[in-house]
Amino acid sequence: MAVIFTTDVSQTKLLMAYNNQIVQFYSNTVGKVPLNAEISIIGVTSVIYPHPNGTFYLNLKRYLAAIVNTNKFQDSVYPDIDPLDIETYIYNAVNGTYVDGPLTIKINFTDLSFESANRNIKVLNGVQQLYAQKKYKIQNDSFMQILSPISSGSSNQYYLRYWPGFPFEFSFYTASIHKVNVINERTLSSVEMTPKGRVNSVYLCDGSTDTSIDTQLQLVEGYNKLKFVINLVDIDQYLTLVKEEPCQGIYIKWLNNFGRWNYWLFKGEYMQSISAKNIGEIENDFFNLASTVSPTMNVGKTAEAPIKVQSRNMTESDRELLSSIMISPRIYMFTGTPFSKAEMNDWIEVRLKTGTYPLKESGRSTWTVNFEFELPSLYTQTL
């Protein structure tokens, strides 16, 4: 007989590692008493035991999260672009983002016999929300999926803003490694590139003014509509890329719900301040009054330098793009020099102190948001 699944795991969809992924199963072999079940999850093995009625239950969530999240949400992709070679604009971004492999279930019986079943699963280092599960459903049999929020009211439209002079990329998942043709329907220019893995990062710019994809794919200021064709097949995926004028500001990147990065420039004015507090005091009252400077001695101070930023006149698409920063486990602020090649140490990790963010408001078309970021603590002199 066989292993019967009452709740199965999908073999056609990308599984989100930080959502429940339940499997429930039993053996329909008559007369056999199940002893335990050995579960091998992409090479990680666990043993579970049956309910008294003979059924097994396992949530794969914590296993999948540990298997796919190999770099603790850090960005391990840093480009080395040759402006004349389009293949140097695309990089393998699988590490820490995506993993696939076999799920093997083996039911052992008390008479030392067993039955087994196999599944092939694909896992993304992401999370979905209950209210948006249909909107962000990912099926990977025939689709390339851009790993960024889908625009409202659409299943194939994406939206990003790009600021020249700052490092910028977008990532996509592809079910097969075939040539990808990116066509700008605004300028009718196109580039063809080869995916380097299941998840790929396409750099539009490494921060340098003379090293950007504009030398290969013509982008105009304002709206550019990019269409994607894989292996000569139009896959009906579109990215609206808004190219901004070069400007200064506080540049942020954060890990989005799909396990890759989004970017935003908070233009114009910002405010940074220092807040400090005493650590404490120690006893120093060991001398006569005439020889005492202070009966206590200050141990030192701790200090923070938070920064407040604002973004005005944001569209609904802007608001949707920026919303995932509220629950992002990693946020970085750019500390390098704009309009020059960015290095790995040109980013510092920051934390978001802001506690609320607008999700919806009927009748509203533009938004203003305020954020406060907590930078790493200042080094201070202490006893």
Side-chain angles (χ1 to χ4, degrees):
M1 303 297 281
V3 176
I4 305 299
F5 288 86
T6 54
T7 303
D8 205 348
V9 64
S10 176
Q11 297 187 83
T12 61
K13 300 174 186 175
L14 281 171
L15 306 180
M16 291 295 190
Y18 289 88
N19 289 109
N20 287 343
Q21 305 294 344
I22 307 298
V23 289
Q24 292 178 283
F25 56 93
Y26 67 95
S27 170
N28 65 352
T29 302
V30 178
K32 296 280 189 176
V33 178
L35 175 64
N36 58 37
E38 297 176 33
I39 317 293
S40 177
I41 310 161
I42 316 180
V44 176
T45 302
S46 181
V47 177
I48 61 174
Y49 294 88
H51 186 275
N53 65 10
T55 62
F56 293 88
Y57 172 99
L58 181 64
N59 188 351
L60 302 176
K61 174 182 173 180
R62 63 189 181 96
Y63 298 95
L64 298 180
I67 291 168
V68 70
N69 190 4
T70 55
N71 60 5
K72 299 180 181 178
F73 300 119
Q74 298 180 66
D75 191 0
S76 58
V77 180
Y78 289 92
D80 184 18
I81 297 174
D82 177 353
L84 300 179
D85 184 0
I86 190 61
E87 295 299 337
T88 65
Y89 286 85
I90 184 169
Y91 293 85
N92 189 330
V94 165
N95 182 33
T97 304
Y98 169 87
V99 68
D100 57 30
L103 170 66
T104 302
I105 294 174
K106 177 184 175 185
I107 298 179
N108 296 311
F109 300 103
T110 55
D111 64 0
L112 303 183
S113 62
F114 66 88
E115 293 173 348
S116 61
N118 297 289
R119 299 288 187 268
N120 290 306
I121 57 175
K122 302 157 185 139
V123 185
L124 195 66
N125 192 21
V127 67
Q128 288 181 341
Q129 304 305 321
L130 186 62
Y131 64 84
Q133 59 177 323
K134 291 184 179 180
K135 177 180 177 182
Y136 294 126
K137 184 189 296 183
I138 298 178
Q139 295 182 330
N140 59 13
D141 279 343
S142 58
F143 286 91
M144 183 198 87
Q145 179 76 27
I146 296 174
L147 300 180
S148 192
I150 300 173
S151 299
S152 287
S154 172
S155 61
N156 66 344
Q157 303 277 345
Y158 301 85
Y159 173 93
L160 295 171
R161 283 189 183 268
Y162 161 47
W163 289 269
F166 293 93
F168 179 86
E169 51 86 21
F170 67 88
S171 298
F172 68 88
Y173 164 84
T174 178
S176 58
I177 309 300
H178 291 292
K179 291 281 188 180
V180 176
N181 195 261
V182 184
I183 304 167
N184 187 351
E185 295 189 336
R186 176 81 181 272
T187 62
L188 301 181
S189 62
S190 66
V191 294
E192 185 179 73
M193 54 184 63
T194 306
K196 304 301 189 291
R198 297 292 189 186
V199 175
N200 299 270
S201 177
V202 179
Y203 269 82
L204 273 64
C205 181
D206 65 359
S208 177
T209 53
D210 59 354
T211 305
S212 72
I213 206 168
D214 286 42
T215 59
Q216 302 276 343
L217 178 68
Q218 184 183 356
L219 301 173
V220 297
E221 287 187 359
Y223 286 76
N224 298 267
K225 189 173 184 179
L226 306 184
K227 181 174 74 171
F228 296 86
V229 175
I230 294 183
N231 201 28
L232 303 180
V233 177
D234 186 344
I235 59 168
D236 195 31
Q237 297 282 325
Y238 296 90
L239 168 61
T240 297
L241 181 68
V242 182
K243 182 181 178 182
E244 296 277 0
E245 295 181 354
C247 59
Q248 300 287 337
I250 303 299
Y251 194 55
I252 297 291
K253 75 174 182 180
W254 68 97
L255 193 78
N256 64 28
N257 294 343
F258 299 93
R260 289 302 296 162
W261 302 92
N262 286 137
Y263 299 78
W264 193 265
L265 181 68
F266 293 90
K267 298 180 289 185
E269 297 180 356
Y270 64 89
M271 185 180 74
Q272 187 171 19
S273 59
I274 293 179
S275 60
K277 63 179 180 179
N278 289 321
I279 296 175
E281 298 177 334
I282 58 176
E283 180 69 28
N284 192 42
D285 193 11
F286 303 116
F287 305 97
N288 292 330
L289 184 63
S291 302
T292 298
V293 175
S294 173
T296 61
M297 185 179 296
N298 188 12
V299 175
K301 292 186 175 183
T302 59
E304 310 287 343
I307 187 167
K308 294 181 179 180
V309 297
Q310 184 181 78
S311 197
R312 301 176 182 175
N313 298 319
M314 293 171 55
T315 66
E316 179 66 16
S317 296
D318 293 330
R319 186 202 58 76
E320 285 188 330
L321 173 63
L322 199 53
S323 64
S324 65
I325 198 173
M326 292 298 297
I327 59 173
S328 175
R330 287 288 181 275
I331 305 173
Y332 292 96
M333 185 177 77
F334 184 67
T335 60
T337 303
F339 309 104
S340 62
K341 182 178 178 180
E343 304 294 340
M344 181 175 63
N345 60 358
D346 285 335
W347 300 91
I348 60 170
E349 185 174 353
V350 298
R351 293 176 176 82
L352 184 63
K353 295 184 70 175
T354 306
T356 59
Y357 185 86
L359 280 181
K360 289 289 182 183
E361 185 176 330
S362 59
R364 188 164 185 172
S365 59
T366 61
W367 303 81
T368 296
V369 298
N370 297 279
F371 284 135
E372 182 175 2
F373 294 105
E374 181 181 301
L375 277 63
S377 298
L378 299 179
Y379 293 110
T380 58
Q381 297 154 297
T382 59
L383 294 180

